Amino acid sequence: MECVFGLVGNGFAIVAADTSAVHSILVHKSNEDKIMVLDSHKLIAASGEPGDRVHFTEYIQKNVALYQFRNGIPLTTAAAANFTRGELATALRKNPYSVNILLAGYDKETGPSLYYIDYIATLHKVDKGAFGYGSYFSLSMMDRHFHSGMSLEEAVDLVDKCIIEIRTRLVVAPPNFVIKIVDKDGAREYAWRESIKDMSVISS
Amino acid sequence: MSIFEYNGSALIAMVGKNCFAIASDRRLGVQLQTIATDFQRIYKIHDKVFLGLSGLATDAQTLYQRLMFRHKLYQLREERDMKPETFASLVSAILYEKRFGPYFCQPVIAGLGDEDKPFICTMDSIGAKELAKDFVVAGTASESLYGACEAMFKPDMEPEELFEIVSQALLSSVDRDCLSGWGGHIYVVTPTEVRERILKGRMD
């Protein structure tokens, strides 16, 4: 089952997501990137129905880019989060998207922030958040070890603790995770945590 | 599980001597899991009208945005703030518009009307108004809240005593409800000032 979680540290926000693309009992691929770079200083980690996830996050990404083209300045993280919630809320009673989102961003004025947006468009600004069955483990792990203003080393250590806990205790634990961070220098991939490497095609 | 019990909530509004108090719990949950312990359920429409929204969090957020919009438009046209009785009628009308596809919220409205006379009311999810002279309650803990308020209420309480009574009623009721709690948020409003306080209760 899809695991997404994230937290806010000292001047940065970090999110991790599993990388399995699953269809019923079949694992299509184990290196599916579920954390989209929304713009230079925002990340959107999404979990849920695969078609909806890709379609909805791309739609948000393009609209955020459009705003920047039209107005010459980028959206703040709070504005992007509220826009995303608005789109989910409008679609909710017509054609709902089954996508849960953690939106992480960095603004010069307000610093790092993390927004929890669930599939029925509940929006809340949080210090730590998680979705999926993995959330039962990662949220508890973060409740125990998180404190505000964590350094990058401490935060990555906590993310690793959560990944280990998910791998140990979740029966259908995903093998691989991707970790991305966003800080004053922008949004970027930080690391992969792989326990199964995708095999490339073997030539006969 | 009922859709009204998906996120969990508890709200009270109580009338005192030329003042009122409106209080809520602070838990945001997704069924059995607690997501946040600082969720805001009470919104200030203007200095003398407060709105509390219990029920499904996404609909509470959407409803709050729609009502703020309508109130700002009213302020532009009428060049004054809405009276609480008028605001209650507006909320009722907006809820009934969605009679066959309702917002899953139960609002609690509290305000100071003409000559600073306290006004409280609640309504169901389709806008059936219930005016009361003493107190109104809403949320998953509503049955406990009714009992606690009935036992502790006295007419014509001063703001300090009102604060004590409402706090005790809220905290003791949410302790009997697993879906609400994690502290309290209370506003005590008199004609001259608004005092906002956070209550520390059982954090479980």
Side-chain angles (χ1 to χ4, degrees):
Chain A
M1 226 250 111
E2 304 199 359
C3 306
V4 170
F5 60 94
L7 57 113
V8 173
N10 187 15
F12 66 94
I14 189 167
V15 280
D18 78 290
T19 58
S20 314
V22 167
H23 193 132
S24 167
I25 57 165
L26 175 68
V27 178
H28 280 299
K29 62 193 292 221
S30 319
N31 57 2
E32 167 86 359
D33 189 354
K34 295 177 190 170
I35 306 180
M36 171 179 277
V37 172
L38 203 61
D39 73 9
S40 64
H41 286 77
K42 285 180 207 39
L43 289 171
I44 222 178
S47 75
E49 204 93 12
D52 281 349
R53 169 171 55 80
V54 173
H55 176 80
F56 184 73
T57 52
E58 278 184 6
Y59 173 70
I60 297 297
Q61 187 189 53
K62 299 319 171 203
N63 272 282
V64 167
L66 183 62
Y67 181 94
Q68 184 159 0
F69 285 134
R70 278 188 179 145
N71 298 288
I73 51 162
L75 278 170
T76 60
T77 313
N82 275 287
F83 171 69
T84 306
R85 185 206 108 83
E87 291 303 308
L88 280 169
T90 312
L92 181 63
R93 284 171 155 92
K94 293 180 183 140
N95 193 6
Y97 293 104
S98 308
V99 195
N100 297 308
I101 283 166
L102 279 177
L103 202 156
Y106 183 89
D107 304 303
K108 246 187 0 200
E109 299 82 19
T110 49
S113 48
L114 182 66
Y115 287 88
Y116 171 103
I117 309 169
D118 84 2
Y119 73 104
I120 47 172
T122 309
L123 171 71
H124 194 58
K125 184 170 185 297
V126 291
D127 283 334
K128 46 186 168 8
F131 285 108
Y133 286 124
S135 68
Y136 291 113
F137 309 104
S138 49
L139 227 37
S140 302
M141 214 57 182
M142 289 192 282
D143 282 341
R144 171 67 181 86
H145 294 289
F146 176 89
H147 56 87
S148 60
M150 289 174 88
S151 70
L152 185 59
E153 292 75 33
E154 288 177 314
V156 174
D157 191 54
L158 178 51
V159 166
D160 279 329
K161 280 194 171 81
C162 294
I163 291 173
I164 289 167
E165 194 66 16
I166 291 170
R167 280 191 184 142
T168 318
R169 293 296 182 183
L170 186 58
V171 61
V172 277
N176 301 339
F177 285 81
V178 63
I179 304 172
K180 296 197 181 179
I181 78 164
V182 59
D183 61 13
K184 64 176 180 8
D185 300 322
R188 58 192 180 282
E189 193 176 283
Y190 178 81
W192 283 71
R193 298 284 185 250
E194 288 173 311
S195 58
I196 294 176
K197 284 216 171 344
D198 234 3
M199 304 226 295
S200 45
V201 174
I202 303 165
S203 54
S204 53
Chain B
M1 189 186 257
S2 155
I3 189 79
F4 289 98
E5 293 161 14
Y6 186 75
N7 292 123
S9 53
L11 278 174
I12 311 183
M14 199 180 272
V15 165
K17 194 178 169 84
N18 300 322
C19 64
F20 67 86
I22 183 165
S24 75
D25 73 321
R26 304 189 80 202
R27 178 182 181 270
L28 173 70
V30 171
Q31 295 186 309
L32 60 99
Q33 190 179 47
T34 300
I35 300 298
T37 56
D38 57 357
F39 190 67
Q40 193 193 5
R41 274 195 181 87
I42 299 175
Y43 301 100
K44 186 174 95 156
I45 303 296
H46 62 82
D47 280 333
K48 294 196 173 163
V49 168
F50 284 73
L51 169 73
L53 286 163
S54 71
L56 196 62
T58 176
D59 281 350
Q61 288 174 333
T62 302
L63 204 52
Y64 161 66
Q65 287 175 344
R66 283 193 69 188
L67 289 164
M68 245 354 250
F69 170 74
R70 292 294 298 265
H71 181 254
K72 284 181 178 173
L73 218 55
Y74 182 93
Q75 274 179 325
L76 286 172
R77 287 185 180 134
E78 303 256 335
E79 292 179 358
R80 63 185 179 91
D81 290 329
M82 249 191 211
K83 282 192 278 203
E85 295 87 350
T86 317
F87 185 71
S89 295
L90 173 66
V91 178
S92 176
I94 284 184
L95 289 173
Y96 197 79
E97 266 176 7
K98 304 277 184 195
R99 171 64 178 83
F100 299 108
Y103 290 117
F104 299 109
C105 288
Q106 203 184 346
V108 160
I109 294 147
L112 294 172
D114 284 335
E115 282 131 41
D116 291 330
K117 187 166 180 305
F119 169 88
I120 52 169
C121 88
T122 184
M123 51 194 83
D124 68 4
S125 59
I126 48 173
K129 254 189 287 186
E130 281 292 333
L131 303 171
K133 294 201 172 66
D134 40 16
F135 57 85
V136 289
V137 301
T140 49
S142 58
E143 278 131 2
S144 298
L145 284 166
Y146 273 123
C149 288
E150 197 68 71
M152 298 193 211
F153 177 78
K154 294 196 313 274
D156 289 330
M157 283 186 278
E158 294 296 326
E160 284 313 309
E161 200 189 353
L162 184 64
F163 164 70
E164 283 300 326
I165 298 293
V166 171
S167 308
Q168 291 301 329
L170 179 71
L171 290 177
S172 60
S173 304
V174 302
D175 283 349
R176 281 290 182 184
D177 177 24
C178 53
L179 297 174
S180 55
W182 284 93
H185 200 157
I186 174 166
Y187 293 82
V188 180
V189 182
T190 59
T192 45
E193 63 160 3
V194 173
R195 282 203 70 179
E196 178 185 347
R197 278 172 272 215
I198 306 284
L199 303 169
K200 182 126 201 263
R202 277 185 67 109
M203 301 302 205
D204 65 4

